[in-house]
């Protein structure tokens, strides 16, 4: 079974940047559209960005122009470059398949943006 391991979160001031990574075990990863999701306290988990197997991307309006999703299929890894971070970006970030949540959720990585 594919396992997902997210990393790269941390505490950053507003306006700062972070790069998240999601490493997946298993070659099936490369055939899936992958997404980055986030869950803020008291809110439902929501998709913020997705990328197809051949690199087409799509973003939530709230992060468009600030976040960039990418992937390296050879490394079974998907990335999320987050720039111009805002306090409202504070959440636990997860990766998984889209539109079907194909894999067991990983532990996520906490992103905290201070004002």
């Amino acid at each position: 079974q594919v396992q997902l391991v997210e990393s790269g979160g941390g505490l950053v001031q507003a306006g700062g940047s972070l790069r998240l990574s999601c490493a997946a075990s298993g070659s099936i990863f490369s055939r899936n559209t992958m997404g980055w999701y986030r869950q803020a306290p008291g809110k439902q988990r929501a998709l913020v960005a997705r990328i197809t197997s051949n690199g087409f991307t799509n973003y939530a309006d709230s992060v468009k122009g600030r976040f960039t999703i990418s992937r390296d299929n050879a490394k079974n890894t998907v990335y999320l470059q987050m720039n111009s971070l805002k306090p409202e970006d504070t959440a636990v970030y997860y990766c998984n398949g889209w539109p079907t949540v194909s894999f067991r959720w990983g532990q996520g990585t906490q992103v905290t943006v201070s004002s």
Side-chain angles (χ1 to χ4, degrees):
Q1 186 172 2
V2 173
Q3 289 186 314
L4 303 171
V5 179
E6 300 92 350
S7 61
L11 173 63
V12 64
Q13 288 188 330
S17 299
L18 286 172
R19 188 191 194 209
L20 307 184
S21 298
C22 171
S25 63
S27 59
I28 192 172
F29 165 88
S30 64
R31 301 197 293 270
N32 285 264
T33 293
M34 294 297 294
W36 277 100
Y37 301 76
R38 68 185 181 189
Q39 187 168 20
K43 295 187 177 181
Q44 289 191 331
R45 196 171 301 181
L47 180 74
V48 296
R50 66 181 192 260
I51 184 168
T52 66
S53 58
N54 54 4
F56 288 102
T57 60
N58 189 273
Y59 300 90
D61 287 343
S62 59
V63 307
K64 201 171 293 183
R66 300 187 297 120
F67 289 11
T68 302
I69 188 171
S70 60
R71 69 192 296 164
D72 185 335
N73 289 336
K75 295 183 179 180
N76 288 338
T77 302
V78 63
Y79 305 97
L80 187 68
Q81 177 67 43
M82 306 187 297
N83 299 329
S84 302
L85 283 161
K86 303 176 181 180
E88 51 263 44
D89 295 318
T90 295
V92 180
Y93 285 71
Y94 305 85
C95 68
N96 214 309
W98 183 91
T100 302
V101 174
S102 312
F103 313 114
R104 182 177 296 179
W105 291 101
Q107 82 288 349
T109 187
Q110 174 71 48
V111 172
T112 303
V113 184
S114 63
S115 56

